[in-house]
């Protein structure tokens, strides 16, 4: 974050004063507006705290120059929107930006120890200081949230008066003023003391984070949504909220969905039709499509009719087959299936145009050197484009561990667009040999080990779901855990040998009964993503050495024997032999939040080395 510049006024049309002159409160990168500081998240700027506002009206007040539209038809079809927009740039010359609201409103003064709402301190305009002491106000460190996504102030009045016998209903009506001080004896919650001048005994914040702390006070979630503003009424909720630190990652987790731009959508020629695909898909004949194009574009379509027909056929191919009412998961799986097919097949020069954003071809070397490892089909993805869209967000639970009812929308009214970012880079795609993979999956020892992880993951998802009967099955299978762990050790190896920071690389898994592939690609939009260094690692001879080195490195961990002998690790026991000293990655690099990992499936265990898929690589 950068310090907020001086407040300035912007001229409107004909140099008239604009209707609203909003002060700047810092800057974030575009990628952060999707992954870290998206709608509903809390952002700290100097001594102040804000919540990022919802997207109602953003399509009008976001400048088209600073927040251009981007298109990725396959992802737009999946998310049922017409287009995406880059978040507005945050620099000194920008005319507008992401809007925020002050939250939490409860502040304390370190000089007079008063604890009250921000406006009650009578701060000067544009400043966050105590009107009496002129000391910087401190936003409340504590907020409360529920699993439905609601967020609210911590109930200090009820917390202080809980032992007075007056009950929750009279709290705040005692005529006293709240005070907050720190004893300084330790850094624990016991040192944070809250009191009221009405004379009730002062209490510490110790115990506020207990799961039943607010339930014991008789409190239920009020359904407040401060990111949507005070004009939007609260929702009916009634769940029991939980206390959280304002900066906790549990306060906000993004629900991100992404897609690679693959032919025939990867050359940008279909972008002018982005807002009309829903209507075109309803047409059945070439004549109807031609008539619609003539009507929509006043007689001259920007895309030839033959290309439009081909694009419609390609889109219908991704519709899940055999499903009368396909769920979101089925449709997302169909999107991945099409990417897998394209990565396997590649594209030759005849399919490339000047604007082609997907270039995938086999390496020049002999891929047969990888067969002893059980690896096949390496492909060099010399050029790719990925669009990542912020679909929604969750609180208290990871997006992968929750179901649709927990996903909080980004606005109060339906949107026909979503904020998104695009990444252009390169990558290496490889597959595991199906015959060898099938024989490795058969032994009972492998299935038993993965079943422990699957059971733990299923239990975690059911515990966090409002309706456990709607929880989808855990994706943990032997080949999924194997490919996931292989991707992690490859990223770690390339970060050591090829000079890429681990956070600049990302995995994309393709796992099903008929799929066993992994794409490792550059995950940043800066120069580290397009210099050709990662593609060079995909040549068979070099890839063979890399895999062998990565597997040997995974054979030992500085936390062994505790790591490899672990009966359960990670969140809720969803990992086995995996820790931050061996296979875990930065969160931005992993599709599954560093769960469902087990390096024993790569290298085996001291007691049973045959568990390892790459056991032969270690014997050479």
């Amino acid at each position: 974050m950068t310090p907020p510049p001086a407040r300035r006024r912007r001229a409107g049309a004909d140099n008239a004063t604009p209707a609203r002159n909003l002060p700047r409160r810092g800057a974030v990168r575009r990628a952060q507006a999707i992954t870290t500081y998206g709608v509903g998240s809390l952002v700290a700027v100097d001594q102040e705290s804000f919540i990022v506002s919802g997207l109602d009206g953003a399509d009008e007040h976001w400048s088209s120059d600073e927040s251009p539209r981007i298109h990725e038809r396959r992802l737009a079809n999946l998310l049922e929107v017409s287009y995406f927009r880059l978040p507005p740039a945050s620099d000194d010359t920008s005319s507008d930006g992401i809007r925020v609201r002050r939250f939490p409103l409860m502040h304390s003064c370190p000089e007079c120890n008063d604890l009250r709402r921000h406006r009650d301190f009578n701060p000067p305009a544009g400043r966050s200081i105590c009107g009496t002491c002129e000391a910087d106000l401190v936003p409340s460190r504590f907020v409360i949230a529920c699993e439905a996504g609601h967020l609210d102030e911590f109930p200090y009045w009820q917390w202080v008066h809980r032992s007075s016998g007056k009950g929750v209903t009279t709290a705040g009506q005692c005529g006293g003023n709240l005070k907050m001080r720190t004893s300084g004896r330790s850094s624990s919650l016991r040192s944070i003391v809250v009191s009221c001048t009405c004379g009730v005994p002062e209490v510490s914040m110790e115990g506020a984070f207990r799961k039943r702390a607010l339930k014991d006070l008789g409190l239920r979630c009020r359904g407040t949504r401060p990111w949507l503003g005070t004009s939007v009424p609260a929702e009916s909720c009634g769940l029991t909220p939980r206390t959280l630190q304002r900066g906790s990652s549990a306060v906000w987790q993004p629900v991100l969905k992404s897609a690679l731009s693959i032919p025939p959508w990867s050359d940008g020629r279909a972008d002018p039709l982005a807002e009309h695909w829903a209507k075109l898909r309803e047409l059945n004949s070439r004549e109807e499509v031609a008539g619609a194009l003539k009507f929509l574009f006043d007689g001259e379509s920007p895309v030839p009719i033959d290309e439009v027909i081909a694009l419609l056929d390609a889109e219908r191919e991704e519709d899940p087959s055999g499903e009368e009412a396909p769920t979101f998961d089925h449709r997302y799986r169909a999107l991945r299936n099409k990417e897998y097919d394209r990565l396997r097949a590649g594209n030759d020069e005849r399919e490339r145009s000047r604007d082609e954003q997907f270039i995938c071809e086999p390496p020049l070397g002999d891929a047969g050197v990888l067969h002893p490892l059980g690896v096949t089909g390496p492909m060099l993805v010399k050029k790719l484009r990925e669009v990542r869209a912020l679909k929604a967000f969750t609180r208290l639970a990871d997006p992968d561990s929750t179901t649709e009812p927990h996903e909080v929308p980004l606005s109060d009214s339906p949107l026909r667009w979503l904020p998104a970012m695009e990444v252009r880079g390169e990558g290496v795609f490889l597959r595991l040999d199906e015959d060898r993979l099938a024989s490795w999956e058969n032994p009972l020892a492998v299935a038993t080990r993965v079943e422990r992880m699957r059971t733990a993951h299923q239990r975690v998802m059911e515990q966090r779901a409002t309706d456990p009967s709607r929880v989808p099955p855990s994706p943990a299978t032997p080949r999924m855990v194997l490919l996931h762990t292989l991707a992690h050790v490859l990223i770690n190896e390339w970060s050591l040998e090829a000079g890429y920071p681990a956070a600049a690389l990302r995995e994309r898994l393709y796992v099903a009964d008929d799929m066993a592939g992994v794409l490792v690609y550059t995950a940043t939009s800066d120069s580290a993503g397009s210099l050709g260094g990662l593609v060079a690692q995909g040549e068979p001879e070099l890839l063979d050495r890399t895999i062998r080195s990565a597997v040997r490195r995974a054979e030992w961990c500085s936390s062994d024997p505790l790591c490899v002998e672990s009966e359960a690790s990670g969140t809720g026991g969803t990992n086995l032999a995996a820790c931050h000293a061996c296979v875990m990655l930065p969160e931005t690099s992993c599709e599954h939040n560093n769960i469902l990992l087990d390096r024993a499936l790569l290298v085996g265990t001291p007691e049973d080395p045959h568990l390892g898929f790459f056991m032969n690589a270690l014997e050479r």
Side-chain angles (χ1 to χ4, degrees), residues 120-146:
D120 294 336
F121 283 97
N122 295 317
R127 302 185 65 186
S128 182
I129 63 174
C130 178
T132 303
C133 309
E134 296 188 355
D136 289 332
L137 296 176
V138 179
S140 171
R141 285 176 52 186
F142 311 105
V143 296
I144 62 174
C146 77

Side-chain angles (χ1 to χ4, degrees), residues 238-318:
L239 294 176
T240 300
R242 287 176 52 188
T243 305
L244 297 171
Q245 291 266 18
R246 174 165 48 90
S248 169
S249 60
V251 171
W252 188 85
Q253 288 281 348
V255 179
L256 298 173
K257 299 300 177 183
S258 66
L260 301 181
S261 295
I262 60 174
W265 306 96
S266 52
D267 57 7
R269 290 175 56 84
D271 291 353
L273 302 177
E275 298 186 49
H276 307 296
W277 285 115
K279 298 177 181 178
L280 294 174
R281 278 194 57 145
E282 297 175 356
L283 306 179
N284 298 318
S285 66
R286 180 187 178 92
E287 291 73 19
E288 290 178 339
V289 173
L293 291 174
K294 184 176 181 180
F295 173 77
L296 292 171
F297 297 98
D298 295 329
E300 185 175 353
S301 171
V303 183
I305 180 64
D306 291 335
E307 291 188 24
V308 175
I309 297 297
L311 290 169
L312 287 171
D313 291 340
E315 184 173 297
R316 293 187 179 106
E317 286 180 6
E318 291 194 23

Side-chain angles (χ1 to χ4, degrees), residues 173-191:
Q173 301 175 12
C174 61
N177 297 318
L178 290 177
K179 298 279 188 178
M180 175 180 280
R181 64 179 178 84
T182 303
S183 66
R185 295 177 181 176
S186 68
S187 59
S188 67
L189 292 175
R190 183 178 298 180
S191 295

Side-chain angles (χ1 to χ4, degrees), residues 588-609:
T588 55
S589 300
C590 179
E591 279 195 310
H592 294 280
N593 298 308
N594 275 326
I595 64 172
L596 305 179
L597 295 166
D598 183 16
R599 61 189 173 92
L601 298 186
L602 295 177
V603 300
T605 63
E607 295 78 16
D608 189 1

Side-chain angles (χ1 to χ4, degrees), residues 132-364:
T132 303
C133 309
E134 296 188 355
D136 289 332
L137 296 176
V138 179
S140 171
R141 285 176 52 186
F142 311 105
V143 296
I144 62 174
C146 77
E147 291 185 350
H150 303 127
L151 192 66
D152 206 348
E153 307 277 350
F154 182 82
Y156 289 104
W157 281 104
Q158 290 87 344
W159 185 253
V160 172
H161 292 82
R162 70 183 190 273
S163 61
S164 66
K166 298 180 181 179
V168 174
T169 57
T170 59
Q173 301 175 12
C174 61
N177 297 318
L178 290 177
K179 298 279 188 178
M180 175 180 280
R181 64 179 178 84
T182 303
S183 66
R185 295 177 181 176
S186 68
S187 59
S188 67
L189 292 175
R190 183 178 298 180
S191 295
I192 303 175
V193 179
V194 183
S195 61
C196 181
T197 58
C198 72
V200 294
E202 64 180 14
V203 297
S204 74
M205 292 298 296
E206 187 176 25
F209 286 82
R210 288 187 300 109
K211 196 169 185 179
R212 292 181 54 89
L214 300 180
K215 185 175 183 179
D216 292 343
L217 292 178
L219 295 177
R220 291 290 184 267
C221 177
R222 300 189 304 165
T224 55
R225 297 174 290 173
W227 62 94
L228 298 180
T230 56
S231 61
V232 177
E235 292 183 318
S236 175
C237 183
L239 294 176
T240 300
R242 287 176 52 188
T243 305
L244 297 171
Q245 291 266 18
R246 174 165 48 90
S248 169
S249 60
V251 171
W252 188 85
Q253 288 281 348
V255 179
L256 298 173
K257 299 300 177 183
S258 66
L260 301 181
S261 295
I262 60 174
W265 306 96
S266 52
D267 57 7
R269 290 175 56 84
D271 291 353
L273 302 177
E275 298 186 49
H276 307 296
W277 285 115
K279 298 177 181 178
L280 294 174
R281 278 194 57 145
E282 297 175 356
L283 306 179
N284 298 318
S285 66
R286 180 187 178 92
E287 291 73 19
E288 290 178 339
V289 173
L293 291 174
K294 184 176 181 180
F295 173 77
L296 292 171
F297 297 98
D298 295 329
E300 185 175 353
S301 171
V303 183
I305 180 64
D306 291 335
E307 291 188 24
V308 175
I309 297 297
L311 290 169
L312 287 171
D313 291 340
E315 184 173 297
R316 293 187 179 106
E317 286 180 6
E318 291 194 23
D319 293 339
S321 58
E323 297 286 339
E324 294 183 1
T327 64
F328 182 86
D329 289 336
H330 286 113
R331 293 158 55 207
Y332 197 41
R333 195 177 305 126
L335 180 146
R336 288 292 185 102
N337 291 346
K338 201 66 178 179
E339 291 179 5
Y340 182 74
D341 292 341
R342 175 55 71 170
L343 287 167
R344 289 186 61 179
N347 58 342
D348 55 32
E349 293 184 0
R350 291 173 299 177
E351 294 183 281
R352 301 177 195 167
S353 66
R354 176 181 176 183
D355 299 320
E356 180 60 54
Q357 298 169 330
F358 180 85
I359 298 178
C360 179
E361 57 190 32
L364 297 177

Side-chain angles (χ1 to χ4, degrees), residues 5 49-50 67 76 166 176 179 184 277 284 315 321 327 332 338 370 378 396 456 484 502 517 519 565 585 611 619:
S49 175
F50 302 92
S67 177
K166 298 180 181 179
K179 298 279 188 178
W277 285 115
N284 298 318
E315 184 173 297
S321 58
T327 64
Y332 197 41
K338 201 66 178 179
L370 297 171
L396 298 178
H484 190 200
L519 171 67
E565 295 178 357
L585 293 175
L611 279 173
E619 294 177 348

